[in-house]
Amino acid sequence: MSKQQLLTPYHKNFSIKNRIVMAPMTRSRADNEEKVPTDALQGVYYEQRASAGLIITEGSQVSKQAVGYVNTPGIHSEAQVEGWKHVTKRVHDQGGTIFMQLWHVGRISHPDFHNGKLPVSASAINPNAQSFTPEGFKDTVTPKAMTVAEIKQTVKDFQHAAANAVKAGFDGVEIHSSNGYLFQQFFNACSNTRTDEYGGSIENRTRFFFEVLDAIKEVMPQERIGARFNPSLHGMFGITVDEETIPTFEYIIKKLNDYNLAYVHLSEPFTDVSDVPFAVTDIAKHFRPLYNGTLMINNGFDKKDGNKVLEAGDADLVAYGKLFISNPDLVERFKQDLELADWDKDTFYTPGEKGYTDYPKASK
């Protein structure tokens, strides 16, 4: 077959050997008290997938307050930094590139994670979703609205986490400003009813994100910072699209042209939004003309669709999630047109090696 666009190198701010990105995926395998990634599990898992042009790790909480899912690894303690060093070394030894996704879930959490205290958010509005706790999924509660002082502290938490990621050997970081988590709780009017400088206007609702971005670029080159967004998220994680939603993301993406980021990572809609007023059904096509930098797209692409979106010029990189779970050698399988293995969703979030590091490479 003709040369696949997915398999071509990409050089802009950073260089990667192909355009196939391993998407960030929560795997809940840091099953220890300090939520430290281990060499035997996370180290092996990411090393197996180092043929990706870029690996973006699972979301890693920037503070104890940021957690909302069971057994997710963090990046706020020295022990966690030491654990991640094993991961980055393994990936680099295989010639791979790896970014860390920095995460604060906000209200998509539960008091069980916070010694009975409420999780925090832009405003005291229950998302009416569920949090994955040590005792299984539990209904979310009404969060505590963050004070300005708490917002400023969270900016520092993200900056500290980014500095820790550098210490751990990561090639860059991705700010998880997507999927109904803390930043998107500030972006969307359905979850942000503040009347101070962090609420009301589009500029105010996006202020927190840009303060974090500006703080992170003080501790690492902005060319090594990415950011992820889900503009047409609707009916999930307590988020609904309204008439200001897409204009808010258009404002963000256009303003990011003033930076020199590694990439902007966008998700196509998680659900069918063709009948949802004000939603955009084709995210890559809509936002590509608005952004001058590297654009990454994801959500449900296969090999054919991935090559097609690159050939059309609607994106520069394509992120693959579940396909990388069951196909650690996904790049080689795409290259050789080999059959793809199915994933076992029952082991997505379970402890140990099963469904994590035990998927074999293809036999040729």
Side-chain angles (χ1 to χ4, degrees):
M1 63 180 295
S2 60
K3 182 70 172 179
Q4 299 181 51
Q5 284 293 306
L6 284 167
L7 300 176
T8 60
Y10 186 74
H11 307 286
K12 187 173 181 178
N13 287 352
F14 65 106
S15 293
I16 52 178
K17 56 199 174 188
N18 59 64
R19 298 172 189 238
I20 301 170
V21 177
M22 179 177 166
M25 293 175 284
T26 300
R27 300 305 309 275
S28 296
R29 285 323 203 272
D31 188 12
N32 56 72
E33 186 175 348
E34 293 197 58
K35 308 309 173 198
V36 173
T38 65
D39 188 37
L41 272 180
Q42 285 82 6
V44 172
Y45 172 71
Y46 287 112
E47 178 186 39
Q48 289 173 338
R49 291 153 179 82
S51 58
L54 171 65
I55 290 173
I56 309 170
T57 71
E58 60 214 283
S60 298
Q61 55 266 16
V62 300
S63 66
K64 289 184 177 180
Q65 186 193 62
V67 70
Y69 291 75
V70 66
N71 294 335
T72 52
I75 187 59
H76 53 85
S77 74
E78 286 303 315
Q80 291 162 351
V81 171
E82 291 303 311
W84 282 116
K85 284 180 179 178
H86 296 291
V87 176
T88 59
K89 183 179 187 307
R90 280 181 176 264
V91 171
H92 290 152
D93 285 349
Q94 296 299 318
T97 302
I98 184 166
F99 276 36
M100 161 162 280
Q101 190 185 60
L102 304 178
W103 198 23
H104 193 310
V105 308
R107 65 183 186 168
I108 308 295
S109 187
H110 194 275
D112 286 2
F113 288 112
H114 308 291
N115 297 315
K117 293 182 179 180
L118 294 174
V120 298
S121 186
S123 300
I125 301 171
N126 191 335
N128 295 312
Q130 288 197 313
S131 175
F132 186 20
T133 77
E135 297 178 0
F137 283 98
K138 291 188 177 182
D139 291 340
T140 55
V141 300
T142 300
K144 174 188 178 297
M146 298 173 76
T147 66
V148 171
E150 287 171 328
I151 292 172
K152 300 297 185 185
Q153 179 57 52
T154 304
V155 172
K156 293 179 181 177
D157 291 341
F158 270 90
Q159 184 184 56
H160 178 250
N164 277 347
V166 173
K167 286 166 58 177
F170 282 95
D171 299 296
V173 299
E174 176 180 285
I175 305 170
H176 195 356
S177 33
S178 186
N179 296 1
Y181 299 126
L182 185 60
F183 291 107
Q184 195 155 14
Q185 292 159 31
F186 275 82
F187 296 157
N188 284 62
C190 65
S191 48
N192 182 350
T193 57
R194 301 177 72 97
T195 57
D196 62 6
E197 64 265 41
Y198 294 98
S201 68
I202 289 175
E203 181 181 1
N204 282 356
R205 284 187 274 116
T206 59
R207 186 185 307 277
F208 174 39
F209 167 79
F210 283 103
E211 287 182 350
V212 167
L213 176 56
D214 288 339
I216 290 177
K217 70 184 182 71
E218 291 178 4
V219 298
M220 65 189 306
Q222 58 182 301
E223 296 87 354
R224 297 297 173 137
I225 305 170
R228 187 181 185 189
F229 305 97
N230 193 339
S232 281
L233 182 70
H234 181 79
M236 299 178 69
F237 303 107
I239 298 296
T240 54
V241 171
D242 62 28
E243 64 271 20
E244 282 200 325
T245 301
I246 296 302
T248 297
F249 286 100
E250 291 172 342
Y251 169 84
I252 293 169
I253 300 305
K254 288 177 182 177
K255 187 170 180 177
L256 287 175
N257 285 320
D258 297 333
Y259 294 79
N260 191 26
L261 298 186
Y263 60 81
V264 165
H265 182 180
L266 300 178
S267 295
E268 296 290 352
F270 283 1
T271 55
D272 182 4
V273 295
S274 55
D275 294 328
V276 176
F278 311 114
V280 168
T281 58
D282 196 329
I283 294 296
K285 282 189 179 298
H286 183 87
F287 285 94
R288 172 76 282 180
L290 305 183
Y291 187 57
N292 300 327
T294 298
L295 191 67
M296 183 190 303
I297 192 70
N298 83 11
N299 198 34
F301 286 91
D302 58 16
K303 181 175 72 171
K304 179 181 177 181
D305 291 338
N307 280 304
K308 185 176 178 181
V309 73
L310 295 180
E311 289 163 3
D314 294 330
D316 304 297
L317 308 172
V318 182
Y320 291 87
K322 291 189 284 285
L323 281 179
F324 257 118
I325 290 178
S326 52
N327 298 276
D329 56 340
L330 184 64
V331 173
E332 188 64 22
R333 293 188 194 224
F334 278 6
K335 185 183 299 184
Q336 302 294 335
D337 198 25
L338 302 175
E339 184 178 357
L340 299 179
D342 293 329
W343 56 79
D344 177 8
K345 61 181 178 59
D346 292 336
T347 59
F348 280 178
Y349 311 113
T350 51
E353 299 175 4
K354 184 174 174 55
Y356 191 61
T357 57
D358 62 347
Y359 285 105
K361 293 183 177 182
S363 55
K364 301 172 186 177

